[in-house]
Amino acid sequence: MLSAPEPHLGYQTIQPTVFDNDPMAVRQAVYDWKAYAAVIIMPNATALLQQAVDQVNVTYDPLGACQIVYVQARDETTYSNYITPQLNALQTLVTSKFGQMWTGMVLQNASIQREGLQRVPQALSPAIGFSQFNLRPFTPVVATPAVTIGLIYLIILSFFSFAFYLPIHMKFISSEGHPPMKFPSFIVWRWTATLTAYLFMSLSYSLISLAFQIPFANPSAPDTEVANNPVPYGKGTFVVYWMINYVGMIALGLACENVAMVIGQPWTAMWLIFWVITNVSTSFYNLDLAPKFYYWGYAWPLHNSQSILQPSTRGPLLTR
């Protein structure tokens, strides 16, 4: 695979002593986003295979030789398009090449009894295999809109709240029946009113996810064990989800609020187009895999909201 002309994933070969010879420490590193996936050669894999053919160990399991660990819920699109296909190709290549080499070595060894090999055919072919551990599968699918297209509505809602409340704001600076509000006080009022409105708007937005039965009250699970939809904060996870949407709406909306006050109409429409396109174009895929030109997306609010929301709705990593 490394000599093939097609691009392949980057990788590192790390000595087991870095993880204190503990496969669970490797799983924890993958869970903590230290890598997209890990291929683990289990301790004593070679010795156990050799023992299986020498001592006719009928309990030998080829799948105990290697492990593949990954967290699909980190980004299902990245895993389905890049990670999983190359991991599957690696498994096929390794098992086929190793099986041919190992079978030849065993058959050339005259000290190994052929009758014993008939009792442990799994030690001859495939000899080794890969156990896969997807620590956090990509479920439920109904959560996908909440962490992708649905986030666009955070921009839309926060932007149009400016136009919706503008007539009310204008009454404070007009002189009809009362002294006009001074500009510093007007800015304080605008921001206070906007932040209060965002609190309830983000709650309404979050309740939609609850109505579609996205699990927010499942029990937690150990980081290194396979689990479907565990949540990090128990029944309080929905409140965390609401607050993430609230902070995201503040980051998206106050930018619109400030720009609208500076440039006014009709240029605010052009700003909305720019704000939506630049946020969306850097939010729904891992920027690690994108050209460095797009790294400015790390500073944009929608990318950061999505990076936090996706783990919170599917269980892993919010507490990493």
Side-chain angles (χ1 to χ4, degrees), residues 167-181 186:
I168 299 175
H169 296 323
M170 295 305 297
K171 291 183 179 297
F172 285 88
I173 60 175
S174 63
S175 57
E176 297 178 1
H178 60 81
M181 182 179 287
F186 178 67

Side-chain angles (χ1 to χ4, degrees), residues 131-152:
S131 298
Q132 293 198 33
F133 295 90
N134 182 5
L135 299 180
R136 296 296 183 268
F138 182 83
T139 56
V141 179
V142 71
T144 302
V147 295
T148 54
I149 303 302
L151 291 175
I152 300 176

Side-chain angles (χ1 to χ4, degrees), residues 20-32:
D20 296 326
N21 299 303
D22 184 4
M24 290 301 176
V26 181
R27 291 193 190 187
Q28 185 67 52
V30 174
Y31 182 92
D32 292 337

Side-chain angles (χ1 to χ4, degrees), residues 275-308:
W275 197 228
V276 170
I277 291 176
T278 55
N279 273 280
V280 171
S281 63
T282 56
S283 298
F284 303 138
Y285 59 90
N286 277 304
L287 294 181
D288 299 344
L289 306 178
K292 292 185 178 181
F293 170 79
Y294 293 99
Y295 279 16
W296 49 265
Y298 284 117
W300 254 225
L302 197 66
H303 174 80
N304 290 282
S305 294
Q306 196 270 348
S307 298
I308 303 174

Side-chain angles (χ1 to χ4, degrees), residues 92-127:
T92 302
L93 179 64
V94 170
T95 52
S96 61
K97 293 292 185 181
F98 183 85
Q100 295 176 11
M101 179 192 68
W102 176 250
T103 301
M105 291 174 57
V106 171
L107 294 179
Q108 290 175 9
N109 191 340
S111 64
I112 298 177
Q113 297 180 358
R114 300 298 183 266
E115 295 78 6
L117 293 178
Q118 295 177 2
R119 297 177 57 189
V120 285
Q122 74 275 18
L124 191 63
S125 178

Side-chain angles (χ1 to χ4, degrees), residues 48 74 86-87 119 129 137 140 162 165 169 212 238 267-268 288:
L48 291 174
R74 177 177 176 179
Q86 295 205 28
L87 288 176
R119 297 177 57 189
F162 168 79
Y165 292 111
H169 296 323
F212 278 91
F238 176 77
W267 305 108
T268 51
D288 299 344

Side-chain angles (χ1 to χ4, degrees), residues 36-53:
Y36 280 97
V39 179
I40 306 173
I41 309 302
M42 299 302 290
N44 302 317
T46 304
L48 291 174
L49 176 59
Q50 187 67 51
Q51 184 184 65
V53 296

